[in-house]
Amino acid sequence: PKTMEVMCLVDIDPTTATEYWRGVGYIQELKEPWDLGCDNLTNSIELISCSYRSFEISDSILKTLHNEVLLDLQNDSEGMKGMIEGPNDSTYIKYYETTVKTIEEYKKSMDLFYEYRDRMINVMTLQYNEGRMVGYYESSFGTQINVKQIEILRLLKGE
């Protein structure tokens, strides 16, 4: 794992607006759970196994985030539904209808994402069909696609 220096602002010269910083130590850079160091392996069996495990981890995190985002959207929708005071409360009715449509679109988009990911993994499989490293390429490629989607879902959750 890499380390990075932690800097601390110790003084500011108000006449020149110059900042003075000093190092206060080092910390280990954070890494994601799917970063298992597979690229450092040289044995093909270990490499394939490690990349598959990395894919499984990223897929598990993706599914967890997906469920959390969906639950947040459903809770928002239920909260909006609870604010409707009657059949003439057009503002909250419209907000509630929008939350229902948002949930529908979110579910569709995730279904389409999984279909896209699986099809792209199939493309990789076909491209490397005869190679003994096909499992490595499938898993690595699938992990990369999962990671991009994880980034999007983290944005939706506000992380």
Side-chain angles (χ1 to χ4, degrees):
K2 297 179 184 177
T3 58
M4 57 188 223
E5 186 174 16
V6 177
M7 302 294 287
C8 177
L9 180 64
V10 291
D11 198 11
I12 298 176
D13 182 346
T15 59
T16 62
T18 303
E19 298 177 346
Y20 296 96
W21 295 79
R22 76 176 158 95
V24 293
Y26 292 87
I27 61 170
Q28 203 171 14
E29 283 188 22
L30 298 176
K31 67 177 195 171
E32 296 288 359
W34 55 80
D35 293 332
L36 302 177
C38 300
D39 295 335
N40 298 324
L41 299 173
T42 55
N43 178 303
S44 61
I45 294 172
E46 290 174 349
L47 187 61
I48 292 167
S49 176
C50 183
S51 66
Y52 182 71
R53 182 70 185 125
S54 181
F55 173 77
E56 286 180 323
I57 292 168
S58 69
D59 195 49
S60 174
I61 291 169
L62 176 63
K63 287 176 182 173
T64 299
L65 272 172
H66 163 63
N67 289 332
E68 289 174 359
V69 169
L70 183 58
L71 183 61
D72 288 349
L73 291 171
Q74 290 168 336
N75 287 340
D76 289 347
S77 182
E78 285 303 309
M80 201 58 63
K81 185 178 181 181
M83 297 177 81
I84 298 172
E85 295 180 1
N88 295 328
D89 193 354
S90 62
T91 302
Y92 284 115
I93 290 172
K94 180 144 178 81
Y95 286 150
Y96 171 69
E97 290 170 349
T98 300
T99 63
V100 170
K101 288 178 187 174
T102 301
I103 291 168
E104 290 170 6
E105 289 301 311
Y106 175 73
K107 286 178 178 179
K108 286 179 195 174
S109 72
M110 285 304 295
D111 289 344
L112 290 170
F113 163 77
Y114 285 118
E115 181 180 346
Y116 164 78
R117 183 200 63 191
D118 294 346
R119 287 178 182 262
M120 290 305 294
I121 290 172
N122 286 339
V123 167
M124 191 61 65
T125 302
L126 293 169
Q127 186 173 358
Y128 291 97
N129 193 25
E130 298 300 320
R132 66 179 190 170
M133 295 297 288
V134 67
Y136 167 75
Y137 294 115
E138 290 170 341
S139 298
S140 296
F141 194 61
T143 299
Q144 291 176 37
I145 294 171
N146 282 348
V147 167
K148 292 300 179 189
Q149 190 68 10
I150 287 169
E151 291 172 5
I152 292 168
L153 294 185
R154 283 178 172 168
L155 286 173
L156 283 174
K157 279 195 59 67
E159 291 183 0

